[in-house]
Amino acid sequence: SVLANFAGALQDAALALRDDRKSGAVNREAISALLAVCAQVLLDRALTIDAVHPIALNNLAAFHTAIAPQRDRAQMLLSRAMDVAPSHPTIVAGYASALLEHPLDLVGAQSLFKLADELDPQDTTMLCNYGLLLKSAMGDFDSAEAKLERAIMVSPNNALLHSNLAVLYQNSKRDMHKQAEEHFKQALVINPDWVPAICNLALLNHEVHEDAGEAGNLYRRALALEPDHANTLCNFGHLHVDVLSDHAGAEALFKRALDVDPGHIPSLYCYSHLLAMSPHDGGPTPARQELAEELLLRAVHAEP
């Protein structure tokens, strides 16, 4: 148990350090990688001592989810942990979250999240993931809002929770942009360098307030912190097309987003649409039209 819990703490530190934009990139990544290796060694030792220790299995699954992705191995480890500890709230919530990945099992995930909620109603990670499932897959806005609000009551200074609730409001059909803006801003009070919140606040300024200047400032702020953030690159490109009529600038941003993440679905769609648009000389060239079709097919295959 000591080895498993210590390894879990090292993994958390590795992930936090990897995402800390204030440290030097080389040192940050090197130290993060070293912590991750140490965590894996400790977990391997723990499982040598007890091959069915549920927390060690769970933490090694987390390692193969977030640090050294091997989805099939993570699923296998979580399945073994569930066999050993079917009523352990952390194990149940972890397996529920895994079912949101490949292979996708929304019904199974919802059932396990419900059990995890009964076992530990104050697990903020579980509440966050459960809420996102309820909204995105089940269309149950009210229940999703309740889960995220409860998570914030448990952990009011968690920037991720405020940002996720803001996204829920931002995507609502109930005109809740004011609430979205409040929670994005609260997330940035807690963590001024939280790039997803900056990016989404920029999008809100672009599409709701129609304030291209503030949106552009926020996108530049996000990219100064994280130059390879695909969502920011794509959304900033969208601003260049929609408001600034700067198609060359937009194309450069979409290309950068796809260099970072070749499967980034919004960038595939946006870049395809841009290429298919008719410029002033009468229409796209055959090469650009062909590329537009290729990008569109990639997006459809990625999200059928």
Side-chain angles (χ1 to χ4, degrees):
S1 293
V2 172
L3 289 170
N5 289 326
F6 187 31
L10 287 176
Q11 283 179 205
D12 290 342
L15 289 170
L17 186 59
R18 186 183 69 184
D19 296 334
D20 181 6
R21 302 297 158 187
K22 293 181 180 178
S23 343
V26 175
N27 289 338
R28 181 182 72 237
E29 292 176 8
I31 296 171
S32 175
L34 178 61
L35 290 173
V37 169
C38 292
Q40 186 175 21
V41 170
L42 291 174
L43 289 169
D44 288 340
R45 280 190 60 194
L47 290 172
T48 300
I49 296 168
D50 181 355
V52 291
H53 192 283
I55 297 301
L57 290 167
N58 180 77
N59 287 347
L60 188 55
F63 178 88
H64 287 303
T65 299
I67 296 176
Q70 295 182 37
R71 296 291 180 184
D72 291 342
R73 178 158 170 73
Q75 285 273 6
M76 180 270 291
L77 291 164
L78 285 168
S79 180
R80 284 172 57 192
M82 279 289 292
D83 289 341
V84 176
S87 297
H88 192 294
T90 301
I91 307 297
V92 175
Y95 196 43
S97 297
L99 293 179
L100 298 178
E101 303 292 339
H102 178 77
L104 182 65
D105 181 0
L106 296 177
V107 174
Q110 185 177 22
S111 175
L112 288 172
F113 275 130
K114 183 178 180 182
L115 173 59
D117 196 9
E118 293 168 357
L119 293 169
D120 183 4
Q122 293 194 320
D123 181 342
T124 57
T125 301
M126 175 276 298
L127 288 169
C128 182
N129 290 336
Y130 192 6
L132 295 176
L133 167 70
L134 288 167
K135 172 59 174 69
S136 60
M138 308 300 175
D140 187 348
F141 176 89
D142 292 334
S143 295
E145 180 185 31
K147 301 298 181 191
L148 287 165
E149 286 183 339
R150 191 190 337 149
I152 288 174
M153 288 180 64
V154 174
S155 183
N157 292 320
N158 187 317
L160 174 62
L161 296 177
H162 283 282
S163 185
N164 283 341
L165 182 56
V167 170
L168 181 71
Y169 288 140
Q170 188 175 30
N171 295 331
S172 168
K173 297 179 181 179
R174 301 183 182 180
D175 190 18
M176 304 185 77
H177 296 115
K178 181 179 179 181
Q179 293 92 325
E181 185 170 9
E182 289 172 355
H183 281 281
F184 282 136
K185 288 182 175 179
Q186 183 58 36
L188 293 172
V189 168
I190 298 165
N191 182 357
D193 295 338
W194 186 252
V195 169
I198 300 171
C199 175
N200 281 302
L201 186 58
L203 184 64
L204 189 146
N205 274 277
H206 168 192
E207 295 187 339
V208 177
H209 299 317
E210 298 183 351
D211 187 343
E214 180 62 14
N217 289 337
L218 287 165
Y219 285 134
R220 282 184 282 272
R221 173 180 162 190
L223 291 173
L225 291 164
E226 191 171 345
D228 292 336
H229 191 256
N231 282 346
T232 301
L233 291 165
C234 180
N235 289 353
F236 199 13
H238 176 49
L239 180 72
H240 277 69
V241 175
D242 187 43
V243 178
L244 305 178
S245 297
D246 178 4
H247 289 193
E251 184 167 0
L253 288 161
F254 294 144
K255 283 182 176 179
R256 280 178 59 193
L258 291 172
D259 285 342
V260 172
D261 181 0
H264 190 253
I265 292 171
S267 295
L268 290 169
Y269 278 118
C270 288
Y271 191 17
S272 174
H273 177 70
L274 176 66
L275 289 168
M277 292 174 66
S278 297
H280 296 299
D281 61 7
T285 65
R288 289 173 70 83
Q289 185 64 42
E290 183 178 349
L291 179 56
E293 293 172 3
E294 176 196 327
L295 293 170
L296 184 58
L297 283 173
R298 282 167 54 188
V300 171
H301 289 157
E303 189 181 46

